[in-house]
């Protein structure tokens, strides 16, 4: 490496001396005889070191040194002052002017070469440090840019990101614009695609969807990817005559054709939630949330639906989320309790069994009926945990009653569709039976027709497994579901429960009367027990008895009550022969 050294001296003889001493391939020397020329030549020579005479006509060495050190481009170039006046005062002046070192005249070769070498070494280290810093800065700048891209752009689809979208919405809100809308799109059951074909195909599908959706952008509009299978349109500068319904229709229509992936063609549907920009909100998150809420509502209506945001919707969602939270709490703190409603022998009015019905002992709201929280439990999947709580309490209670002598009493427990489909159902039941020591032959599980029909194959296997454990099976709300009676004989059933709605109107509606009659006839033929639900009046009771219905439950006899109240009822039962409970003959 050669170093460029600039020598500034008004006497050319001095340069000759220096040149003689520094003759080396490592040094490229350049000579100028004045401060003015030195300044002019700096950009051309770009020296690594400057040797300068102190005493010069025109700009003298001290002034020149000061000037150079004041220029950001050159201040790092070391300056060695060459002076005949080696007084302390002069040296102090040199240092003050910014000089890095000095050499005294007459010049001594060893001193000169040593000082030049040392200064150049410092210079070199400084330059290395500088280039290292520059590299580092470049890297940081590149990473920052990458991060910006990551934050502002989705890497899979190259669409703007959620943050990006929110910023743009924020800008429109800041201008108090109202001529814009958000359309939140969520693919229906996208997870199934990932599950069935893997993530590669899932990603290809998302890219294909993104591409197709972009066809619905007008100039100025934005399509962002805001979640795994969620996209959001920002429609801007909407003219007054713009037909959003037509646009929505077109977007949903574009899902009618399949999407091409490397693996296969896939059909997808999506739901849309829409929220209009309004001048009262300045929170972009809130508007996006509104569109999301509307989308969520659309989802609940089914595939390929759309919904507009309205504030009531928002309140409903909020309510649901609070409820979900509260239910988590309820499960953790044992706030779910079981009430029991007697199932009565219509001929003798004796209690033959009980239906376990869950209640929520809410710390503020008091006793909450299941209609208000079971749907939420179902949606969140919490129903499996809740169902287990009920089953455990009911089995415990069944064993207690049996131990107290009511040995033929049965307890019926409701199973939701989700519970029935739960892969752990059998294991859960086995564990509860083992823990409580309840006799499974007196446990009945009530399921609805839809739980069976949702997956008849699996239901059949499951029911056989229950039958092996001697557990009985009731079909709940019978008549309201598929009403296809053909399948009944294929399953190992024990009881049909006639839905309340038929019993309620049977004396007024001839059709309902016929339904009840048919169900009773049918169950006799299939050797099933029948329980009529919701008996409230003497008339209903008489009609059911006339049709040969054996068992019933309803407010006419007793409302659901805590176990202690039921125990009292049992003690006060009318005396007389205890009819055998409706247990189907085994095998
Ligand atoms: P369900 O299985 O049809 O239960 C019978 C419902 O009818 C109970 O309502 C009961 O209180 C009510 N009921 C009984 N007799 C009469 C009557 O004479 N008149 C009237 N108007 N109603 C009567 P409840 O306890 O509010 O339960 C409602 C539903 O919640 C149940 O309908 C059942 O589907 C579900 N449910 C209750 N407990 C559980 C549970 O532990 N697990 C599951 N999965 N679902 C449950
Ligand atoms: Ca029931
Ligand atoms: Ca029912």
């Amino acid at each position: 490496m050669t170093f460029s050294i600039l020598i500034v001296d008004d006497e050319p003889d001095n340069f000759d001396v220096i040149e003689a001493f520094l003759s080396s391939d490592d040094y490229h020397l350049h000579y100028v005889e004045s401060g003015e020329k030195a300044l002019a030549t700096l950009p051309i020579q770009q020296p690594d070191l400057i040797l300068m005479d102190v005493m010069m006509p025109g700009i003298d060495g001290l002034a020149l040194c000061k000037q150079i050190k004041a220029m950001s481009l050159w201040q790092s170039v070391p300056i060695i002052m060459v002076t005949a006046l080696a007084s302390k005062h002069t040296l102090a002046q040199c240092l003050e002017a910014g000089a890095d070192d000095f050499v005294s005249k007459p010049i001594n070769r060893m001193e000169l070469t040593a000082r030049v070498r040392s200064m150049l070494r410092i210079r070199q280290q400084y330059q290395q440090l500088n280039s290292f810093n520059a590299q580092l800065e470049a890297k940081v700048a590149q990473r920052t840019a990458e991060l910006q891209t990551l934050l502002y752009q989705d890497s899979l689809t190259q669409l703007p990101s959620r943050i990006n979208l929110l910023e743009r919405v924020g800008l429109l809100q800041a201008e108090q614009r109202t001529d814009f809308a958000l359309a939140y799109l969520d693919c229906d059951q996208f997870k199934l695609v990932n599950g069935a074909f893997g993530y590669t195909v899932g990603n290809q599908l998302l890219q294909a969807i993104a591409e197709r959706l972009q066809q619905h952008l007008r100039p100025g509009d934005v399509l962002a990817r805001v979640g795994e299978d969620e996209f959001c349109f920002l429609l801007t500068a909407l003219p007054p005559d713009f037909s959003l319904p037509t646009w929505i229709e077109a977007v949903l229509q574009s899902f009618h054709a399949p999407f091409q992936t490397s693996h296969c063609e896939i059909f997808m549907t999506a739901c849309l939630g829409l929220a209009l920009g309004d001048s009262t909100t300045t929170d972009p998150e809130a508007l996006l949330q509104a569109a999301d809420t509307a989308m969520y509502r659309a989802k609940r209506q089914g595939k390929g639906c759309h919904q507009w945001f309205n504030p009531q919707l928002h309140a409903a969602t909020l309510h649901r989320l609070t409820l979900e939270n509260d239910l988590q709490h309820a499960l953790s703190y044992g706030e779910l309790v079981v009430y029991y409603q007697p199932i009565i022998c219509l001929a003798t009015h004796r209690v033959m069994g009980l239906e376990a019905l869950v209640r929520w002992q809410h710390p503020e709201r008091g006793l909450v009926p299941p209609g208000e929280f079971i749907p939420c439990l179902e949606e969140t999947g919490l129903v499996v945990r809740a169902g287990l709580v009920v089953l455990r309490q009911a089995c415990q209670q069944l064993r207690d009653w049996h131990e107290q002598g009511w040995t033929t009493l049965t307890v019926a427990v409701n199973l939701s569709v989700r519970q029935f489909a739960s892969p752990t159902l059998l294991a859960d039941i086995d564990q509860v039976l083992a823990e409580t020591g309840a006799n499974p032959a007196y446990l009945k599980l009530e399921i609805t027709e839809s739980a069976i029909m949702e997956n008849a194959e699996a239901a059949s296997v499951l029911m056989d497994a229950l039958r092996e454990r001697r557990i009985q099976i009731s079909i709940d709300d019978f008549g309201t579901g598929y009403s296809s009676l053909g399948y009944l004989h294929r399953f190992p059933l024990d009881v049909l429960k006639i839905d309340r709605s038929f019993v309620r109107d049977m004396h007024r509606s001839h059709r309902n009367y016929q339904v009840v009659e048919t169900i009773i006839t049918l169950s006799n033929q299939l050797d099933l027990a029948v329980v009529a639900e919701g008996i409230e009046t003497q008339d209903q009771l008489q009609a059911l008895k006339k049709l040969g219905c054996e068992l019933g439950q309803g407010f006419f006899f007793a409302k659901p009550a805590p176990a202690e109240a039921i125990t009292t009822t049992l003690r006060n039962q009318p005396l007389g022969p205890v009819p055998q409970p409706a247990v189907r003959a085994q095998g």
Side-chain angles (χ1 to χ4, degrees), residues 337-339 341-342 355-359 368-375 377-378 383 386-387 389-391 412-417 419 446 448 476-477 497-500 504 532-537 540 553-560:
V337 295
V338 179
Y339 272 41
Q341 186 180 33
E355 177 175 2
L357 294 160
V358 68
R359 298 286 181 268
V368 184
E372 284 183 35
F373 62 91
I374 295 250
L377 284 177
E378 287 264 7
V383 75
V389 168
V390 174
L391 184 70
V413 176
N414 292 282
L415 282 192
S416 77
V417 176
Q419 267 178 287
E446 296 195 357
T448 56
D476 209 352
D477 306 339
K497 296 191 79 170
I498 305 174
D499 191 63
R500 219 169 57 218
R504 184 177 54 221
E533 288 184 323
I535 304 172
E536 292 186 353
T537 65
Q540 289 164 351
Q553 73 189 96
F555 295 169
F556 179 76
F557 301 107
K559 289 193 168 178

Side-chain angles (χ1 to χ4, degrees), residues 169-191:
V169 173
L171 289 177
L172 293 171
Q173 289 174 327
E175 290 173 24
Q176 303 208 311
R177 298 272 292 262
T178 54
D179 58 346
F180 69 99
L182 287 182
Y184 203 114
L185 184 141
D186 186 298
C187 300
D188 298 322
Q189 299 188 308
F190 181 80
K191 289 211 162 47

Side-chain angles (χ1 to χ4, degrees), residues 237-527:
L238 293 171
D241 60 347
F242 185 77
S243 166
L244 267 167
T246 310
W247 183 88
I248 293 164
E249 188 56 35
V251 172
L252 294 178
Q253 276 264 339
S254 64
F255 279 79
H256 287 182
F259 294 91
Q260 189 65 50
T261 69
S262 64
H263 189 77
C264 54
E265 288 190 333
I266 297 176
F267 279 95
M268 243 304 129
T269 56
C271 286
L272 268 180
L274 297 118
L276 288 175
D278 74 280
S279 53
T280 56
T281 33
T282 52
D283 179 7
E285 283 273 7
L287 194 66
L288 189 64
Q289 182 64 53
D292 189 10
T293 304
M295 184 280 293
Y296 183 79
R297 244 317 144 89
K299 284 239 133 165
R300 294 178 74 179
Q301 291 178 337
K303 294 178 183 172
C305 290
H306 76 275
Q307 264 289 338
W308 288 89
F309 174 77
N310 69 44
Q312 287 98 321
L313 205 72
H314 186 59
T317 307
L318 207 67
H319 173 74
R320 216 196 75 95
L321 287 177
T322 320
L323 184 63
E324 192 176 325
N325 253 340
D326 287 358
L327 280 169
Q328 291 269 15
H329 183 270
L331 275 167
S332 305
Y333 290 86
E335 290 170 10
L336 295 187
V337 295
V338 179
Y339 272 41
Y340 299 87
Q341 186 180 33
I343 295 170
I344 307 287
C345 169
L346 298 188
T348 63
H349 288 207
R350 289 182 65 89
V351 178
M352 306 302 294
L354 298 127
E355 177 175 2
L357 294 160
V358 68
R359 298 286 181 268
W360 178 8
Q361 190 67 62
H362 194 283
E364 285 142 38
R365 292 165 61 193
L367 210 59
V368 184
E372 284 183 35
F373 62 91
I374 295 250
C376 184
L377 284 177
E378 287 264 7
E379 264 170 43
T380 53
L382 288 171
V383 75
V384 174
R385 260 175 81 194
L388 205 56
V389 168
V390 174
L391 184 70
R392 188 172 286 119
Q393 281 191 38
C395 284
Q396 189 91 50
Q397 191 57 54
L398 175 64
R399 202 213 46 202
D400 284 359
W401 280 324
H402 278 199
E403 277 181 354
Q404 289 170 49
W406 292 292
T407 51
T408 56
L409 218 51
T410 60
V411 166
V413 176
N414 292 282
L415 282 192
S416 77
V417 176
R418 273 291 264 278
Q419 267 178 287
F420 195 63
S422 158
T424 60
L425 179 67
L426 276 180
D428 289 345
I429 290 174
D430 286 342
Q431 196 190 343
V432 167
L433 287 173
E435 267 173 33
T436 57
N439 185 343
Y442 295 86
L443 175 63
K444 294 182 180 183
L445 295 179
E446 296 195 357
I447 52 183
T448 56
E449 288 167 89
S450 46
I452 297 176
M453 295 320 282
E454 211 143 272
N455 188 350
E457 210 61 21
S460 174
V461 174
L462 193 56
M463 285 197 249
D464 284 337
L466 293 173
R467 166 56 52 95
E468 268 169 36
R469 289 161 174 75
R470 294 181 298 142
I471 297 169
Q472 300 179 53
I473 298 161
S474 297
I475 301 293
D476 209 352
D477 306 339
F478 189 75
T480 58
Y482 288 75
S483 304
S484 107
L485 308 175
Y487 68 88
L488 275 182
H489 67 276
R490 290 200 271 132
F491 298 104
L493 305 175
D494 302 278
V495 184
L496 289 188
K497 296 191 79 170
I498 305 174
D499 191 63
R500 219 169 57 218
S501 56
F502 301 116
V503 174
R504 184 177 54 221
D505 280 341
M506 64 183 288
H507 54 290
R508 262 184 274 132
S509 146
H510 185 59
R511 199 191 86 88
N512 281 356
Y513 186 90
Q514 278 182 317
V515 170
V516 175
E517 186 178 27
T518 309
I519 295 174
I520 292 171
T521 316
L522 179 79
S523 29
N524 285 340
Q525 281 161 1
L526 293 171
D527 196 18

Side-chain angles (χ1 to χ4, degrees), residues 156-160 185 206-219 221-224 231 233 247 251 254-255 259:
L156 180 70
T157 60
Q158 264 69 56
L159 291 178
L185 184 141
L206 287 171
Q207 284 167 328
I209 291 173
E211 207 175 299
R212 199 172 291 176
L213 288 179
Q214 287 180 70
Q215 295 164 6
H216 299 284
L217 292 174
R218 304 163 311 133
D221 289 348
V222 179
L223 174 67
F231 298 87
F233 286 93
W247 183 88
V251 172
S254 64
F255 279 79
F259 294 91

